[in-house]
Amino acid sequence: RKEVEQDPGPFNVPEGATVAFNCTYSNSASQSFFWYRQDCRKEPKLLMSVYSSGNEDGRFTAQLNRASQYISLLIRDSKLSDSATYLCVVNEDNAGNMLTFGGGTRLMVKP
Amino acid sequence: GAVVSQHPSWVICKSGTSVKIECRSLDFQATTMFWYRQFPKQSLMLMATSNEGSKATYEQGVEKDKFLINHASLTLSTLTVTSAHPEDSSFYICSARELAGDTQYFGPGTRLTVL
């Protein structure tokens, strides 16, 4: 069983649509959680951290459910530039030493 | 701030040769650097954790004699792929963690193609 699981997609959506990605993790002792964005042939870039209370950054909203070991990312009003692979990342210790990456969910926003 | 560079960006080499990849933290000191590998359509997999001045810790299944890691200073770690073979062709990405932080900052990656 993979430690961090994501639906690989691709999610094909029109501009302006709202799209949601989900992620589950297996280690209940995981400490912190992130969504990264990775463009083709580029390094991952931190999109946002995910907090238990839920957090929002512009069009992006992240939620964490520790009881269900489930993380989500909601993108509202999708832009063409949102097309990328979104990686769910779990930090399994306090010192940032054990990042485990999900397989990523590919998003394609069409005009 | 928190910029990490890698060199080279891409490299093509013949089977059997060794390739060195450099990872530098440009504007901060990194006690710990990490090396990841990403095959096409797969996610990043941690290869090893490198601490300045000490031996790297390798993940299960990663050959330490094949992937030599040196972290001689707080701003530089190198990964040498020795006797590279076509199956070593991959995207190698490093990250660095600040002295007083828990966030990893990623380099732009090095694409290795072994013919």
Side-chain angles (χ1 to χ4, degrees):
Chain A
R1 181 185 166 197
K2 290 183 183 177
E3 295 181 23
V4 180
E5 291 207 52
Q6 295 181 248
D7 180 344
F11 284 58
N12 295 297
V13 303
E15 266 187 295
T18 296
V19 61
F21 305 139
N22 302 321
C23 166
T24 57
Y25 61 95
S26 60
N27 183 356
S28 59
S30 298
Q31 297 291 323
S32 50
F33 310 87
F34 310 90
W35 283 101
Y36 278 74
R37 170 195 169 127
Q38 187 175 25
D39 292 289
C40 189
R41 296 177 176 264
K42 300 282 188 180
E43 78 277 22
K45 295 191 175 177
L46 180 64
L47 180 65
M48 59 196 303
S49 301
V50 188
Y51 303 114
S52 297
S53 54
N55 49 299
E56 188 175 306
D57 182 1
R59 297 181 293 109
F60 300 85
T61 301
Q63 296 273 358
L64 166 65
N65 184 322
R66 283 190 183 269
S68 302
Q69 295 177 205
Y70 171 96
I71 305 159
S72 66
L73 176 68
L74 182 77
I75 305 175
R76 290 182 299 278
D77 189 22
S78 300
K79 310 290 184 191
L80 295 176
S81 57
D82 293 334
S83 298
T85 296
Y86 290 83
L87 303 170
C88 175
V89 183
V90 173
N91 184 3
E92 301 190 28
D93 72 5
N94 279 327
N97 284 336
M98 293 183 64
L99 291 186
T100 301
F101 286 77
T105 298
R106 190 170 172 208
L107 171 67
M108 297 181 68
V109 181
K110 307 282 189 182
Chain B
V3 178
V4 177
S5 71
Q6 276 184 247
H7 178 79
S9 302
W10 57 272
V11 58
I12 301 172
C13 68
K14 291 182 180 179
S15 186
T17 59
S18 293
V19 176
K20 180 187 278 189
I21 303 170
E22 292 186 351
C23 176
R24 292 182 185 271
S25 55
L26 297 185
D27 51 2
F28 66 99
Q29 292 184 321
T31 47
T32 306
M33 289 185 169
F34 305 85
W35 288 96
Y36 295 84
R37 181 166 53 182
Q38 185 176 31
F39 292 107
K41 299 192 178 183
Q42 295 186 27
S43 194
L44 277 74
M45 295 298 293
L46 180 65
M47 297 175 67
T49 301
S50 161
N51 291 298
E52 186 264 338
S54 63
K55 290 184 178 180
T57 302
Y58 290 80
E59 295 300 300
Q60 192 172 8
V62 179
E63 299 174 57
K64 62 180 181 181
D65 294 329
K66 180 168 180 65
F67 298 99
L68 301 178
I69 292 172
N70 183 282
H71 191 163
S73 77
L74 285 172
T75 59
L76 173 65
S77 176
T78 61
L79 167 69
T80 301
V81 183
T82 61
S83 186
H85 287 95
E87 58 266 29
D88 297 323
S89 299
S90 188
F91 191 43
Y92 291 85
I93 305 174
C94 75
S95 70
R97 185 167 61 84
E98 290 182 278
L99 273 169
D102 62 359
T103 301
Q104 291 185 30
Y105 299 95
F106 287 85
T110 296
R111 192 159 298 280
L112 171 63
T113 301
V114 185
L115 302 176

